Each structure stands twice: as structure tokens, then as C-alpha cells.
Amino acid sequence: MENLQKAAHDAGFDGIGVTTASPLEHMKPILEQAKDEGRYPDFVEQDVDRRINPRSVLENAVSVIAVAVAYKTVEPGPTPPLHGTVSRSAWGLDYHRELEKRMDQLIIFLKEHYHAKACAKAVDTSPLIDRAIAIESGLGIPGDNCAVYVPPFGSWVFLGEILVDAVLPLGTTSSVPTKTCVECQACIKACPTQALYAPGKIKPQRCISYLTQKSGQIPLEFREKIKNSLWGCDICQQACPQNQSAKVSRHREFRPIVGPHIPLIPLLSLSNKEFKDMFGPTSMAWRGKNTVQRNACIILGNQGHPEAVEPLRQCAASHPSDTVREAANWALRKIESRK
Ligand code: SF4
């Protein structure tokens, strides 16, 4: 394990855990219950058997390396007026690309030292449940806020997996305590939408992280609750006492390129090229410009500053997207109702 651990650290990982590629059978009833209760996310693989089975990504997988990369950098501070706040995970370079680069480097080592012939990378968009595999491998422990904690980095970690067709030494680099949560329920109390409704239980469709990244209109019941969130939501992680002393990341690439807070009015009139120049290197670009502009309108409505009225009027009159025009009109009505 030691040489694998060193290779992983040299490749830029802050923790790994190695487990077998056996299906995570204990997750099946949990996922099926989520389906029955309407809590199963619509943006992930719907076939539960594929989600629990690493061999749905690499047919002849024998081992799975769960990886973690720490991303806590600066403290965000409060949102200034006429700004929107971005989740820490999106401040720096796109973590999908950053993790895949590191995985490519570690795969070279696996082929040289462990006779691996086939390896596959999984970051966020694969059918697999990153958090469940991180826990299974011993890399992390679950928090009541549904995040995975990898000491000493708290829950501020990007997770992914490398599937390997070779036998690897099982174990982890983490010295993980058996318990994270102190049963304070600070995360549950802090959640603005009650998406987090019980320890370890979430309704993904109510989560601000999901709502700010979905396409189309944001349901009316959530618009005020989104408050200043331009992209993602860190509230339940920020509220956690265990996260207060989390170690800062050694990786400069996750320092803010955008955010923590972004001026909203200039966002409303960005061209496609300006949007790509500004957000292209980050993970905020994947849903496109209209989603970010829709969110900017909603925050401007929530903040209610008169300076936003004219830019919102222009947006409502001439933006090519129905969704953005609707959000701008909602924001104008909201500001008007405060007078
Ligand atoms: Fe609630 Fe935000 Fe946590 Fe989602 S990310 S569960 S909205 S606090």
C-alpha cells in the first residue's frame, strides 16, 4: 500500500482507499427506498443495479481506488450587495478535468507496478455512487449532511474512482475515526429548503445545489430560499462544526478564478463568448449561460436593490431565453412589491 500511497500523493491526490470491485449490495435497499419515496435524483443512472456495481463501468474490474482531492482554499465571507455566491467546489479549475489528469498519472503507475491492463476513470458523472465507494474503501466517513468527510480535510473534498483489472492491496491512507457527527444537527437546522430533513437523508429535488444547476424554471416555492446562491450551495457544509478546522488544500488550482462572489448586473448582458471566457475553465460552464443568468435575476429580485431594475427590464424585454425573461420579470415584480 505504501508505494501506491506515495504514487497517489505524487499524482496530486490527498487520500485514497482501495476496495474490491464487488457490488455494494447494502446500497440497493437504500436506493430503492429513495425511489419509492420520490427522493431518487433524476440526474443520475436510474438502474439501481448499475449504480451499485463497479463492473458497470469496467466489466473486468477487480479493484477500485477511491480518491479524494482537497479543495478548501480561502474563506468566502458574506455576500456583498448586487453579488451572487458560488459554491467552493466551482471557484477554481474544473475539478472533473483536474481529477482525470491526476488519474491518468496514477494509471501509468498502476500499469507499470501492478500489471494493470485496463483501467477506467469515474468522476461525478459515472453511474457509480462516489460517496458510498469512498466510505466502503475506508477513505471517508458519512456526515449527517450526506457529505463524506476525509480527515483532515473535512467534507471539502472532490471524490472519484479508478477501476482496475488487477489485484491491489486493500486499505486506505486515511486515519478515519469511527464517527464524524456530534449529533448537533447544525446542517439540518441550516438547510434553507429542508432538503436535508433528517440525519443522512436528503430530498435532492429541494437542494439548492440541484436547483441552481437544473435547466428550465426554478419552482416559485424555492426562489426566495435560494437567496444569494448563484451556483451550488455550501450551507450545510459551512454550518458543520467539524468543517471549521478543515485543513487548507495544497492545490492552487482550486483557488478562486470566479467567486466566491460575482457581480450580478454584468452577468445579465454577457455574450456567449464572454461567458465562455469567464466560466469555461470552471465547472460552472456546463449548463450554459442562460442558467447562470436565470439565477442572477432571481438573486437580484431577492436582494431588491433599485440599481438592478433597469438591467432587469432590459433582460425581461430582450433576452432570447423564455426562462431568463420569466426570471427577470419575477425579480422586477419582487422589487416592485417591496416599495
Ligand atoms: Fe440544504 Fe444547501 Fe445542503 Fe442542499 S446544499 S442540503 S440546500 S444546505
Side-chain angles (χ1 to χ4, degrees):
M1 184 70 183
E2 247 173 51
N3 65 344
L4 180 55
Q5 180 177 339
K6 182 176 179 317
H9 185 269
D10 292 349
F13 293 111
D14 297 302
I16 59 166
V18 182
T19 183
T20 67
S22 306
L24 301 177
E25 292 295 346
H26 69 281
M27 288 303 298
K28 195 167 174 174
I30 296 171
L31 296 178
E32 279 170 350
Q33 188 186 8
K35 271 198 166 175
D36 291 347
E37 294 174 357
R39 293 189 288 108
Y40 194 87
D42 50 17
F43 49 87
V44 298
E45 169 67 56
Q46 297 298 303
D47 182 338
V48 165
D49 288 318
R50 279 177 53 75
R51 285 203 81 197
I52 65 167
N53 189 359
R55 293 185 187 112
S56 65
V57 173
L58 181 69
E59 204 180 355
N60 49 349
V62 175
S63 309
V64 181
I65 308 178
V67 298
V69 175
Y71 66 83
K72 178 183 173 183
T73 55
V74 299
E75 283 303 324
T79 310
L82 299 168
H83 284 62
T85 295
V86 176
S87 164
R88 274 182 200 276
S89 61
W91 293 351
L93 293 177
D94 186 338
Y95 70 92
H96 302 84
R97 292 195 281 258
E98 288 302 313
L99 260 69
E100 287 196 6
K101 270 198 309 202
R102 288 164 166 79
M103 288 175 173
D104 286 337
Q105 192 177 326
L106 192 56
I107 286 171
I108 293 171
F109 173 86
L110 294 168
K111 290 187 172 172
E112 280 175 7
H113 292 82
Y114 286 95
H115 310 295
K117 293 208 168 34
C119 298
K121 299 172 281 187
V123 184
D124 183 40
T125 53
S126 89
L128 304 181
I129 315 164
D130 299 327
R131 292 174 181 186
I133 294 176
I135 294 162
E136 181 74 16
S137 71
L139 172 62
I141 27 173
D144 281 354
N145 56 4
C146 297
V148 167
Y149 285 71
V150 178
F153 303 104
S155 61
W156 308 113
V157 283
F158 297 122
L159 299 172
E161 300 85 39
I162 305 175
L163 298 301
V164 188
D165 68 346
V167 177
L168 300 178
L170 304 182
T172 179
T173 54
S174 281
S175 52
V176 170
T178 49
K179 192 166 153 61
T180 350
C181 284
V182 290
E183 288 160 25
C184 65
Q185 305 213 341
C187 53
I188 296 169
K189 290 174 198 154
C191 178
T193 58
Q194 288 82 50
L196 205 55
Y197 65 97
K201 299 264 188 183
I202 191 166
K203 294 178 180 162
Q205 295 84 348
R206 298 182 69 88
C207 178
I208 292 171
S209 193
Y210 163 76
L211 291 166
T212 54
Q213 294 182 56
K214 77 185 273 300
S215 57
Q217 292 174 359
I218 293 179
L220 288 172
E221 67 169 304
F222 298 120
R223 293 190 188 183
E224 286 182 17
K225 290 177 173 154
I226 280 173
K227 208 173 166 190
N228 297 318
S229 297
L230 183 65
W231 189 260
C233 174
D234 288 339
I235 292 172
C236 54
Q237 295 188 82
Q238 203 72 42
C240 174
Q242 306 285 345
N243 265 341
Q244 304 311 313
S245 56
K247 190 175 171 186
V248 168
S249 169
R250 64 183 159 127
H251 309 295
R252 299 186 66 79
E253 49 273 43
F254 301 125
R255 288 176 161 268
I257 300 172
V258 294
H261 313 290
I262 299 182
L264 296 170
I265 290 176
L267 283 186
L268 299 186
S269 54
L270 281 186
S271 67
N272 285 337
K273 180 176 181 316
E274 288 165 336
F275 178 82
K276 207 171 159 205
D277 289 346
M278 187 170 175
F279 296 107
T282 79
S283 59
M284 273 183 79
W286 76 277
R287 256 306 180 201
K289 177 168 75 77
N290 291 350
T291 304
V292 174
Q293 289 177 323
R294 173 204 64 191
N295 297 347
C297 290
I298 289 172
I299 300 169
L300 288 169
N302 287 337
Q303 293 184 350
H305 297 292
E307 300 96 303
V309 169
E310 196 41 47
L312 282 168
R313 275 199 188 125
Q314 284 175 22
C315 206
S318 60
H319 198 286
S321 155
D322 292 350
T323 302
V324 180
R325 287 200 310 278
E326 189 279 333
N329 276 313
W330 177 86
L332 286 166
R333 287 195 301 277
K334 188 101 178 34
I335 295 173
E336 185 61 30
S337 71
R338 290 180 171 217
K339 288 183 183 164

